[in-house]
Structure formats: C-alpha cells, structure tokens
Amino acid sequence: MELTYFRHKITQTLKYGAGTALLCSFLLPSSAWADNSQSSFADPDKVLRTIFPVAETGFDPAAARDLYSNAIVEAVFERLYSYDYMASPAKIIPEAADGLPQISEDGKTYTIRLKKGIVFTPDPAFGGKKRELTAQDFVYSWMRLMDPKIASSHRWLLEGKILGLDDLHTQARKSGNFNYDARIAGLETPDRYTLRIHLTRPDFNLPMILTYAATSAVAREVVEKYRDLQGQVMANPVGSGPFKLVEWVRGSKMVLDANPDYRPVYWNFAANQSAEDQRIAKAMQGKRLPQIGRVIVNVILEDQSRLLAFQKDETDLFQLYGGLAPQVLKDGKLKPEFQNKGVQLSRIVDPELAIYYWNMQDPVFGGLSKEKIALRRAISMAHRVEDEIRIVDNGEAIPLQYPIPPGVVGHDPQYRSIIQYNPAAANALLDKFGYKKGKDGYRTLPDGKPLEIVHTAQTESRGHLQAEVWKKTYDSIGIRMKAEFRPFAEILKAEKQCQLTQRISPWIADYPDGDNFMQLFYGKNIHLNNNGCVAIPEYDALYEQSQKLPAGPERDRLYHKMARIMEVYSAQRLGFARYRNMLAQERVTGYRKHPVMRTEWLYIDIDKNKARVSP
C-alpha cells in the first residue's frame, strides 16, 4: 500500500470527518452577532452553582476514572485539542496546540506546536516563579499513563502506539521503577514548543485521543511535591486551564475560581441554523472566557434532593435523571410551570453504552465452556431492557442493539442483536444444560451445588431500583440473587480488580468514535476499562485489525463480526443509552449540552440582573 494513502486518509478524516469528529480552527464571528469583545474577564460576582449526583474520587488526569472527577480535570488542566462548542457532529479544535498537526506522508509522525505563553496556575511547587507550559510537560504526562505504579486505567490510549513507550512500561514492571528521564524514540521535543510523535503505525483516532482529559498536561514539579505512595496526585490539581480548585470537601463540595493567569480566549463559534443556537451565539460571541468567576459544585446523592435544590433556586445547573423526569417533563419537553419560570432544558441522547456484565473470571459465571455460555445467555434472554428503562428511568433512555451508540462514528441503526427477550427459551436452555430447579423453585449448578449470584449496585435510590428489576429477572429463571450496595468509588476500584460478579456498567464516550466502545471488551484492557474481564481470542484478533483502519465500511464489517462474537459468548448484555436532560435557571446564558465535553463552564455566562439566592 502506498505511504501517501495513510496521510491522505488521516488528513481526510481531520478535514472532512468521513462521519467522524472534525479538526478545525476557530471561525470568524458573523457580523450579525453582537460584539461583546469589551466584556470583562471572570466577574467574581458571577457564581455558577451545580451538582454532582455521585462523589468524586480525585483530580489526577492519569488516575481519575469517573465522569465527575474528569469534569474537574477538564476545567483545571489543558489538552492539546478540545471540541468546538457549537458544532454538530463534534469538531476538534486546538486548545494548547497552536493549530493543526503536521502529518508525515506515511501517517506515522505528527508534529504539533504549542501556543507560547501558557502558564500553570501559581503553586509553591514552582518556587515562586512563573512556570510556562512546554512540550516536555505533555511527554512527562503521557509517560505517567504508562507507569505501572500509578496503574492508570487510561494506559490503553497510548499502549502499543508510540515508539519506545511500551518498553519503558515493561522495564518498570521488572525493576519496580519507571524512568521518567529516559529518552523515548517516539516522543521528541526539538524545542520548548514543538512535540513530535512517532507512531508504531498510523492511528486515525490520535487527534480525538488528544482531546481526552487523561492526556492533559501536568507539571513534574507538582507531581513530585504532592504525590502519594502510588504516585498519584488526586488532591492537588495544578493546571493551566480556565479554573483552579480553591476548596475541596471530599464527597461533599468543590469550589473553583477562574484562573487569573488564563490566557486571552474569546467565545468565537459558528452557530447552526437552529433558533436556540443562533440566540446563544448572539449572546456570547466575542466575550472573553471564562465569564464566570466561581463555580460551586455540591454532591447531592438523592434525586429528589437535587430537584428540590433546583426548585428552591439553590443551584443553577443540574442533570435531571429519569427517576424525576415525570415531575418536570412531558413528552420530552418542560412542563408549563417550569417554562413560565424561565427554566431552560438542553436534551440529548448521551453517547453512552450501559452494559450488564458477568465477570468472565468468576468461577461460576465466567469461562467459555458451553454450560457457562448457556448460563449467561439464559440470563441475557430473561432480562427485558425496556422494563428497566420504564421502571428505573421513566422511559428516559433508549435500548441498544449495537455496542456503538447513536451519535458515535460506527453506529449502525439497522443492526439487530441475536440476544432478545425470551424467558421461555431462557428457562429451556438452563434445563438443557443441567441447571435443575429444586423444590423451592431455585436452580442448582449442574453438579448439584447451590447457584446464587451477587448483583452489585450503588447505594443511591437508582441502584436499589435496578436491583429490584434484576431480582425479578433472576426469579423468572429460578436463580437466587443477592444484592449488595456500595459507594460508587468503591465499586470502580473493585471492578477494576475483577472482584465483582455482575453489575450495570455505563460508559460515556471519551471521544466520539466506535473504537472507544469496542475497546471495552478487548482482553488486554482487563484492569483498565474491560470491567467484565473478558478475553476472547477471536474478538481480540479482530479488534487489533480494526485499529489499523479508518472509519468506514471495512472497519464496520469487523465491528459487526466482533459484536456477533460477544453475543455468541454472552459475556455481557447490551443495555441502553440515557437521555441527558440538563436544567438551567433563566440567568444561565449560553448553555447547551455538548455530547463529548464533560463540562461547559468555560463557555457560559450568568446574567446578574436576574434574581437569585445568595450562594
């Protein structure tokens, strides 16, 4: 194959997307939009109050694994690239990078230049000196993803892709010490502002990977001053982004202030033809960012308490989960009493895949023998996803047939899974493979030993509802189920070590490409993102082939085969993607939910002329 093919295909993906995310520069403002260029920077009286529905875990880009911790990471740190706030489908734009990457003819070398003058937030780690962000900071930060001591779940983003980087990981596993001073053939810094990446093969997803929070730049001085015994810096985030963390009460409250050293950045996006987007663009165009001087995040675990806080005007922005939807929405729209108060709704289908997994390393429910496959398949066929959506989410989700959800490159709306709801067939399958029912109506293992499964869920009300639904599923096929409820952070830690038997595991896109979802079942990602701890050689071989291909029909064919393999082995059952309903008070200006960004705080404003309760 000609070398120029790879460069052409990558450049084509960057410019035109081929159905995927685009890479572009900021567009010039339309003369029809308001000129807000004289607007002040980060008014301290503009305070945004928002809510996390679960507790955060910490703010080290290499170690933070959950959605909510990464929202703080996005606000505090910077990546090379980010996303156009208004574009649909998603478009990639420079963040710390000074423009598009230069790509070699063979598609294996990326040259990226940084903006000059970006500085980290002042911190004692810098000895009282201003600390400029350099290309070497990205090299160091990406090395941390590969350090076995840190045990980053994001290692898969770079693993096997950059020349020499995996060798350092292997050496560190043997020696117990990661050499951060080693020179890496695949990561060169010819000068302070130039980064040259040499890949082992063309990677069509690299620009999207470089938008993800885990690839953010951290300063080595900060890590060495504040790291814990595992090498993580979860409590002292020091970045160059638009906000800085000034207060943290674990599991309760986070306060961020605008970073006074943040370089001049202006709201400069092109709106599409929708009236709402045109209104946002007119209100925000030309404003220096951020406009908001302070963000207060409160952790409120219970659905009803979150809604009450919003109704009492104690919060400006929060996510309305399905459990509360009937109180606020009708047919996907705000009820009149909320519209009359000026409440705003931004509603999308999340680029999300919720799966039901069975631990493939579990001695009872794991394994690839016929009777184990039959057991998992029977459970899969006994569960009606639509019932769970109706009971738990009040219809605020859509069932999925394919592992790549809508809005993500590679989604196939015509695909139909071979696993469909059929409890009669499920019971017959269990009978056939020797899972006999006793007098009490519950089944035993083929060897006559008791059969019981432990379903793990979060401690909040949603977790209890999910457990009730699954108890009915297991009862319908005569399997005993025990429910255990754990805090979210504890669940994440346990499943990473393959210690849970069964759980409902949601995954929201890190980047809007099918690869981000198909990697969830790749054997080498066990202990990273492969929560079901599944390793199927046929699947793994096809996944490795798919990584060599750009988005398109050839890769789609591989994805179809991979989806069928997972269905045949029934390592998991596909679940749903939820609607994301974001409610904002009338005073919030410019808000629209972005499908990939974890937080939009940088791009919105607060109208101080509209009454509010003091924070």
Side-chain angles (χ1 to χ4, degrees), residues 393-447:
D393 288 303
N394 284 300
E396 290 295 308
I398 59 172
L400 296 178
Q401 297 284 330
Y402 196 57
I404 302 172
V408 175
V409 178
H411 172 67
D412 183 354
Q414 304 304 317
Y415 184 93
R416 290 296 176 266
S417 170
I418 62 175
I419 305 296
Q420 298 293 332
Y421 177 65
N422 192 335
N427 276 288
L429 188 61
L430 291 172
D431 291 339
K432 178 180 179 179
F433 280 86
Y435 295 92
K436 298 178 180 179
K437 282 187 178 180
K439 293 180 179 180
D440 60 0
Y442 287 102
R443 297 182 184 273
T444 62
L445 292 167
D447 61 6

Side-chain angles (χ1 to χ4, degrees), residues 75 142 219 246 283 295 353 376 384 524 536:
W142 299 348
V246 296
V295 178
L353 169 64
R376 295 190 300 269
R384 187 174 174 86
K524 291 184 179 180
I536 300 174

Side-chain angles (χ1 to χ4, degrees), residues 206-264:
L206 183 62
M208 284 186 282
I209 287 172
L210 298 182
T211 69
Y212 186 45
T215 66
S216 300
V218 301
R220 184 169 182 173
E221 303 96 306
V222 172
V223 173
E224 292 180 348
K225 181 176 178 63
Y226 299 116
R227 62 189 172 193
D228 60 19
L229 293 177
Q230 198 175 340
Q232 299 179 359
V233 189
M234 298 294 267
N236 298 88
V238 179
S240 59
F243 294 95
K244 58 180 181 178
L245 186 69
V246 296
E247 181 183 348
W248 181 26
V249 181
R250 289 179 183 269
S252 178
K253 183 179 181 181
M254 288 139 278
V255 179
L256 299 95
D257 283 351
N259 175 10
D261 295 299
Y262 188 57
R263 66 189 180 281

Side-chain angles (χ1 to χ4, degrees), residues 77-147:
F77 295 92
E78 288 191 282
R79 297 145 295 284
L80 286 168
Y81 297 101
S82 183
Y83 289 94
D84 185 309
Y85 183 55
M86 300 293 282
S88 180
K91 292 182 181 180
I92 297 172
I93 61 172
E95 188 168 83
D98 190 15
L100 309 180
Q102 295 177 352
I103 307 168
S104 63
E105 288 294 326
D106 62 0
K108 293 167 65 175
T109 299
Y110 280 66
T111 301
I112 302 172
R113 290 181 172 81
L114 271 62
K115 296 182 175 78
K116 296 180 180 179
I118 299 176
V119 295
F120 285 97
T121 301
D123 188 86
F126 303 134
K129 299 178 182 179
K130 274 204 169 185
R131 172 63 158 80
E132 189 176 19
L133 176 69
T134 69
Q136 185 60 38
D137 292 317
F138 282 99
V139 172
Y140 172 73
S141 302
W142 299 348
M143 292 172 77
R144 294 185 71 234
L145 300 181
M146 305 299 290
D147 187 340

Side-chain angles (χ1 to χ4, degrees), residues 148 164 166-179 182:
D166 287 75
D167 294 338
L168 277 183
H169 174 77
T170 301
Q171 293 167 13
R173 288 180 63 88
K174 294 178 180 178
S175 67
N177 181 51
F178 193 94
N179 183 8

Side-chain angles (χ1 to χ4, degrees), residues 69 177 220 328 415 580 583:
S69 297
N177 181 51
R220 184 169 182 173
V328 181
Y415 184 93
R580 182 171 291 253
L583 298 187

